[in-house]
Amino acid sequence: MRIWEDWKSYRAFQKLPPRDRSIVFYSETHQDWHHLQPLIDFLIERLSRTVCHVTSEQTVPMPPASRPGLHAFRIRSGALRTWFFQMLKADVMVLTMMDLQNYQLKRSVHPVRYVYVFHS
């Protein structure tokens, strides 16, 4: 059941037009949200940009789908998340992970700019 939900989320992300998934935020856990939310709010409210927020958190509820300018997705850890990272087509991915490329999560084969958000 869990893999099916993640697959539906992945497919919904892929179906977005490229302009709606040009800026992608990734939070591994709910603790990352505290650092990413101000950036997301600024882009949506002040700059009228549309952003995607992808999380691997299993227990925290997703942000409301009705919020304009924000597309939220849950892709938990596993092979699908690894595939998501490797095949990501976006202009920018913002994340708090410093070890990208060291373990199972690799950079995309497509030209994506990665932005690290300091979070300690």
Side-chain angles (χ1 to χ4, degrees):
M1 180 80 129
R2 183 184 126 180
I3 188 70
W4 179 249
E5 293 169 7
D6 292 350
W7 177 252
K8 287 189 336 187
S9 199
Y10 174 78
R11 293 293 299 149
F13 176 86
Q14 294 294 2
K15 288 180 181 179
L16 287 176
R19 72 181 180 283
D20 282 359
R21 54 185 162 95
S22 68
I23 303 172
V24 178
F25 285 82
Y26 174 71
S27 59
E28 192 169 24
T29 69
H30 68 279
Q31 295 171 357
D32 295 340
W33 182 249
H34 305 294
H35 307 287
L36 300 178
Q37 183 179 13
L39 299 171
I40 291 171
D41 291 344
F42 182 82
L43 287 167
I44 293 171
E45 295 166 9
R46 293 282 208 52
L47 301 180
S48 301
R49 296 295 304 258
T50 298
V51 300
C52 293
H53 175 240
V54 179
T55 185
S56 293
E57 178 64 54
Q58 297 184 35
T59 57
V60 173
M62 298 296 288
S66 62
R67 183 174 180 194
L70 177 64
H71 299 285
F73 305 94
R74 183 184 324 268
I75 302 174
R76 289 166 273 231
S77 62
L80 187 59
R81 183 182 68 173
T82 302
W83 178 259
F84 171 79
F85 267 78
Q86 288 179 331
M87 296 294 128
L88 178 67
K89 288 183 182 177
D91 295 328
V92 177
M93 180 177 234
V94 182
L95 62 166
T96 60
M97 298 172 59
M98 288 183 61
D99 59 352
L100 185 64
Q101 199 65 21
N102 288 335
Y103 298 108
Q104 74 269 26
L105 297 181
K106 306 297 184 192
R107 294 178 185 273
S108 177
V109 297
H110 304 285
V112 176
R113 291 179 183 89
Y114 294 89
V115 176
Y116 169 72
V117 175
F118 187 74
H119 63 287
S120 73

